[in-house]
Amino acid sequence: MGSTRNRLLPPMPGNVLWGWLGPLLVAGFGAILRFTGLGRPNAVVFDETFYVKDAFSLITYGVERASFGTVENPIADRMLLAGDTDIWVKCPRPEADPCPLYVAHPPLGKWMIGVGEQVFGMTPFGWRFAGALVGVVSILILARTARRMTRSTMLGCLAGFLLSIEGLHLVLSRTALLDIFLMFFVLAGFACLVVDRDRARGR
């Protein structure tokens, strides 16, 4: 019976302190890479042109609202970088104001971006803060999950370290795009499944 249990549920490493301290240190290293110079470049980068304004609109009005300009001529982007937040298109019919926008993505990631904008202002640091924070937390989750899967604190920390320096993860953590939020919730869901597996086997 004991042999079967150990195959199904091998014991966790005995040092609980290092089981948390190691992943936290790795996440701290990832935080340095993600938050240092987060406001650079002082520009609206790639698809930030959509999500920055959508997030600001959600925080301000509760809905996505149309702003000045197009992708080819991003007037609103230049206004935001100049400190002008009055970027919204006025609808021809006053009763329709705020002028609605065609929405192509679910709002949760944009709400999270908007929280950073609300706290730190409509600046590159403000709209990138939530992505950087989620990126750091995902490093911690991966390190803890890999530790649980391998029953090795060292391997868990190695997995977290590799994620902290992985190029795509680093870039997405430092830009106001939705990909990092999707990755975070998929990873968190997988981590919950791994914990549930252990608890079910324990029962």
Side-chain angles (χ1 to χ4, degrees):
M1 179 64 72
S3 176
T4 302
R5 178 181 175 81
N6 285 342
R7 286 201 301 271
L8 288 173
L9 191 65
M12 294 293 291
N15 195 323
V16 177
L17 175 63
W18 274 107
W20 278 102
L21 187 58
L24 284 170
L25 288 172
V26 172
F29 172 72
I32 294 172
L33 296 181
R34 280 150 183 78
F35 281 102
T36 301
L38 184 60
R40 298 195 307 267
N42 184 35
V44 178
V45 180
F46 189 52
D47 278 357
E48 284 186 340
T49 189
F50 303 110
Y51 308 126
V52 165
K53 291 172 283 189
D54 286 356
F56 182 42
S57 180
L58 282 170
I59 288 292
T60 306
Y61 300 103
V63 295
E64 288 94 339
R65 182 174 180 176
S67 60
F68 293 119
T70 62
V71 175
E72 293 76 17
N73 184 24
I75 300 169
D77 294 356
R78 293 192 290 271
M79 293 173 68
L80 288 175
L81 292 170
D84 183 359
T85 57
D86 189 18
I87 62 173
W88 309 115
V89 172
K90 308 298 183 188
C91 269
R93 294 180 296 123
E95 66 274 12
D97 208 47
C99 202
L101 178 71
Y102 174 77
V103 179
H105 298 91
L108 180 57
K110 291 181 279 190
W111 278 109
M112 296 174 76
I113 293 170
V115 170
E117 295 172 343
Q118 184 79 5
V119 175
F120 297 103
M122 283 300 294
T123 64
F125 181 89
W127 61 64
R128 293 171 189 155
F129 175 82
L133 180 62
V134 164
V136 171
V137 175
S138 68
I139 295 170
L140 176 63
I141 291 175
L142 179 66
R144 290 285 300 174
T145 302
R147 176 180 183 267
R148 180 176 288 276
M149 293 175 68
T150 62
R151 296 309 200 256
S152 167
T153 299
M154 183 184 72
L155 290 178
C157 290
L158 177 61
F161 173 75
L162 291 175
L163 184 62
S164 73
I165 61 172
E166 200 278 320
L168 182 60
H169 188 274
L170 179 60
V171 170
L172 291 176
S173 297
R174 291 176 58 90
T175 47
L177 305 180
L178 301 184
D179 308 65
I180 195 71
F181 302 105
L182 174 61
M183 182 283 308
F184 171 79
F185 285 112
V186 171
L187 176 61
F190 175 74
C192 290
L193 286 175
V194 174
V195 172
D196 181 71
R197 178 203 66 174
D198 277 2
R199 291 183 177 177
R201 288 179 175 182
R203 289 195 301 271

